[in-house]
Amino acid sequence: MYLTRFLMNTARQGARKLLASPQAMHAAVLSGFPRPEDHTRDDARTLWRVDQRRDRQVVLYIVSPTEPELTHLVEQAGWPRSSESWETRPYDRLLDSLEKGQRWAFRLTANPSRTGRKTENSPTTQRFGQVTATQQIEWLTSRAERHGFTIARQADGELNLVTYDRQVRRFTRNHEQRPVTLVTATYDGVLDIEDPALFRNVLTRGIGHARAYGCGLLTLAPAQPTS
């Protein structure tokens, strides 16, 4: 597995186009691999996420089974004269080092949603976005254990977890006239690993739905010691 960090140049029209459409970004990410179809299977999925940092830099993160070649993205949406347009590192060393009891800071952009019931008027199963902060936090905490982790608590007993950049996005897909509606939320928090094998699956396969559209990628950073 590989983790890639790509710096977007938001002054460029191509970057703005990709950032406006998860469908276009998904296609651009998959174009970095010789056989894109090999990167959409559940056992070999490519995940991506766009972060806007405090310094206003916009960064695209990609986790993939093979190393990407992103020259086309540099030409369309990157910094052509910069040697730091993208950086790819092996991910397996981190994955192999994960152990029960470790504490990590994390970030996740997800599609918090629930499945509705089939009715006579709607014979197919539909998904409904969870739009309030309370619903979105419950969505993640209710899934944590089955994915091998728990959300840490602060000294006052509150969950060490916040949600922000909560959006309802609408975009077209494959020239369809009816737009796709996608509820997203970004989570920052601290977690404790309970089952390393299950947790590795989260890091490499994602969590939740809409993983083709920039959701589901959970990344780690060293947790700050509590005072």
Side-chain angles (χ1 to χ4, degrees):
M1 298 296 296
Y2 293 87
L3 173 64
T4 299
R5 174 185 175 276
F6 181 94
L7 188 61
M8 305 285 293
N9 181 355
T10 56
R12 303 185 67 178
Q13 183 177 0
R16 295 194 297 271
K17 178 181 177 180
L18 293 178
L19 293 170
S21 170
Q23 174 69 26
M25 183 69 83
H26 174 62
V29 169
L30 290 187
S31 294
F33 304 96
R35 293 175 54 87
E37 64 274 15
D38 290 343
H39 289 258
T40 57
R41 305 193 315 267
D42 192 54
D43 62 342
R45 182 175 293 274
T46 290
L47 305 168
W48 61 270
R49 185 184 77 226
V50 173
D51 284 2
Q52 182 162 338
R53 305 192 321 191
R54 293 181 180 178
D55 59 6
R56 297 188 178 182
Q57 286 189 332
V58 177
V59 181
L60 168 67
Y61 290 96
I62 303 171
V63 166
S64 55
T66 61
E67 187 172 357
E69 213 308 314
L70 300 179
T71 301
H72 68 291
L73 261 182
V74 174
E75 295 171 346
Q76 181 179 2
W79 300 83
R81 296 183 181 180
S82 172
S83 60
E84 299 180 357
S85 291
W86 88 83
E87 178 184 21
T88 298
R89 295 182 178 180
Y91 207 29
D92 291 328
R93 183 175 180 180
L94 172 64
L95 297 174
D96 292 342
S97 72
L98 299 176
E99 297 180 356
K100 177 179 172 61
Q102 288 180 345
R103 175 164 289 190
W104 292 89
F106 74 93
R107 175 167 294 172
L108 165 71
T109 294
N111 167 229
S113 58
R114 61 179 177 85
T115 303
R117 295 181 180 179
K118 296 180 181 179
T119 66
E120 292 182 0
N121 296 328
S122 179
T124 59
T125 300
Q126 294 182 312
R127 301 202 63 79
F128 299 91
Q130 305 281 50
V131 297
T132 70
T134 299
Q135 289 174 335
Q136 291 170 352
I137 288 176
E138 167 62 21
W139 178 89
L140 181 59
T141 56
S142 67
R143 286 160 175 74
E145 183 176 356
R146 77 183 77 162
H147 290 298
F149 67 96
T150 56
I151 304 298
R153 292 189 178 272
Q154 304 177 86
D156 60 4
E158 294 294 321
L159 290 173
N160 199 330
L161 179 67
V162 296
T163 62
Y164 60 97
D165 198 20
R166 297 164 45 235
Q167 299 185 52
V168 179
R169 304 191 65 181
R170 292 179 175 86
F171 57 94
T172 56
R173 176 178 58 189
N174 297 331
H175 306 292
E176 295 178 1
Q177 293 185 349
R178 191 172 183 177
V180 175
T181 299
L182 181 65
V183 174
T184 64
T186 298
Y187 300 80
D188 277 359
V190 177
L191 60 78
D192 295 317
I193 298 177
E194 300 295 336
D195 186 318
L198 290 176
F199 188 61
R200 289 186 192 100
N201 283 337
V202 169
L203 296 182
T204 58
R205 299 186 182 183
I207 181 170
H209 291 267
R211 286 174 283 179
Y213 299 133
C215 297
L217 173 56
L218 187 151
T219 54
L220 302 176
Q224 297 296 322
T226 57
S227 55

